[in-house]
């Protein structure tokens, strides 16, 4: 079985500052990893994912995450945040094969202040 | 051009009532899901259907019954609503069951906010 821990429930940050949202997972097998973003009163949108290959994955809006197998982590980073990045961010994990059952973390609320 | 749509967007009802939430996807995907997001934003899968066949059924009260008339639709019917059913319910879809690559990506609907009074 897999589980996901998002270490921070809330992360306040000033606009244009860097940010890191932490995600650790637990699994006895290799996994696929995902970051989803939920803007206020909206559904979840896929931000980026790691399936295989390069451990550094990037999104089109400046976020990146690095898969670290030894530390079982998949932290999300952005060098300079905008007000519009204010949202809830969810880390999720899935074991390859089998049914497509995503296991989500509890979410991290990113609040960007001017 | 909404990929995954849900109706209604908001649903306010009394305890004991029966209600349904509808979901449709126009992505041509084979697999659809229902998730529940509680008041603490915790998101958990409830059901999944693949080509109208139930493949994931988490520990959910049998008051909840999913129905898939075709692979583009997955509806959720809830009987005898309780206060604890208040939550946001998300529908999602993906290309397939497994296999890696794009098949793994789930696309979510906008959610249905259910409030039971």
């Amino acid at each position: 079985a897999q589980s996901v821990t998002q270490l921070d429930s809330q992360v306040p940050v000033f606009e244009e500052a860097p940010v890191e949202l932490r995600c650790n997972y637990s699994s006895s097998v290799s996994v696929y990893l995902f970051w989803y973003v939920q803007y206020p009163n909206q559904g979840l949108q896929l931000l980026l994912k790691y399936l295989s290959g390069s451990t550094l994955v990037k999104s089109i809006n400046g976020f990146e995450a690095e898969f670290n197998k030894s530390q079982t982590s998949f932290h999300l980073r952005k060098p300079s945040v905008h007000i519009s990045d204010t949202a809830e961010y969810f880390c999720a994990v899935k074991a390859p094969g089998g049914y497509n059952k995503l296991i989500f973390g509890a979410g991290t609320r990113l609040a960007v202040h001017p | 051009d909404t990929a995954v749509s849900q109706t209604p967007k908001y649903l306010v009802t009394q305890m004991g009532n029966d209600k349904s939430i509808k979901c449709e996807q126009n992505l041509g995907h084979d697999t659809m899901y229902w998730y529940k997001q509680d008041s603490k934003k915790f998101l958990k899968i409830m059901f999944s259907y693949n080509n109208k066949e139930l493949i994931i059924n988490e520990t959910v009260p049998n008051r909840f019954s999913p129905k898939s008339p075709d692979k583009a639709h997955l509806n959720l019917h809830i009987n005898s609503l309780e206060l604890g059913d208040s939550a946001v319910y998300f529908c999602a879809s993906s290309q397939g069951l497994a296999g890696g690559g794009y098949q793994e990506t789930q696309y979510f609907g906008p959610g249905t906010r259910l409030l039971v009074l």
Side-chain angles (χ1 to χ4, degrees):
Chain A
Q2 293 79 43
S3 66
V4 178
T5 302
Q6 290 185 243
L7 296 162
D8 307 294
S9 59
Q10 296 186 64
V11 174
V13 64
F14 286 111
E15 194 173 17
E16 297 184 4
V19 71
E20 178 180 81
L21 306 183
R22 296 180 292 171
C23 172
N24 285 89
Y25 69 91
S26 172
S27 177
S28 58
V29 298
S30 60
V31 293
Y32 296 150
L33 293 153
F34 306 81
W35 275 101
Y36 279 84
V37 58
Q38 184 181 25
Y39 297 105
N41 296 316
Q42 295 187 27
L44 280 76
Q45 302 172 34
L46 180 67
L47 191 59
L48 44 76
K49 61 185 176 184
Y50 170 78
L51 303 180
S52 64
S54 172
T55 57
L56 183 65
V57 291
K58 299 184 178 185
S59 72
I60 58 173
N61 57 354
F63 282 94
E64 62 180 37
E66 185 156 23
F67 169 55
N68 188 318
K69 188 175 181 179
S70 63
Q71 297 187 4
T72 61
S73 68
F74 191 55
H75 301 332
L76 182 69
R77 301 183 183 95
K78 189 171 185 179
S80 176
V81 294
H82 302 291
I83 296 287
S84 59
D85 292 324
T86 294
E88 194 86 24
Y89 291 79
F90 293 91
C91 183
V93 65
K94 180 203 169 299
Y99 296 136
N100 200 1
K101 178 180 165 181
L102 283 175
I103 306 298
F104 284 89
T108 296
R109 167 91 177 140
L110 175 64
V112 182
H113 301 279
Chain B
D1 279 33
T2 304
V4 182
S5 59
Q6 295 179 228
T7 53
K9 190 172 181 180
Y10 298 96
L11 184 54
V12 181
T13 188
Q14 300 286 333
M15 267 197 331
N17 284 350
D18 303 338
K19 291 293 179 184
S20 291
I21 306 172
K22 295 186 177 182
C23 178
E24 177 182 2
Q25 55 94 3
N26 62 7
L27 297 167
H29 287 168
D30 291 334
T31 308
M32 296 183 72
Y33 313 79
W34 276 110
Y35 287 85
K36 179 180 179 180
Q37 186 178 45
D38 63 23
S39 58
K40 296 183 179 179
K41 298 282 187 176
F42 187 63
L43 197 65
K44 188 172 180 186
I45 191 167
M46 300 172 69
F47 301 103
S48 178
Y49 270 74
N50 177 259
N51 279 322
K52 302 195 300 176
E53 180 185 350
L54 182 65
I55 57 169
I56 296 176
N57 186 352
E58 293 295 284
T59 307
V60 177
N62 57 15
R63 299 181 295 104
F64 290 78
S65 53
K67 286 185 171 52
S68 182
D70 54 63
K71 72 174 190 178
H73 296 84
L74 180 61
N75 304 324
L76 183 65
H77 187 75
I78 315 171
N79 288 325
S80 303
L81 278 156
E82 299 177 357
L83 294 177
D85 297 332
S86 295
V88 183
Y89 292 85
F90 287 101
C91 177
S93 72
S94 66
Q95 178 71 31
L97 286 173
Y102 66 93
Q103 291 187 354
E104 305 291 347
T105 300
Q106 294 185 23
Y107 296 84
F108 283 76
T112 294
R113 285 148 183 82
L114 171 65
L115 178 60
V116 182
L117 302 175

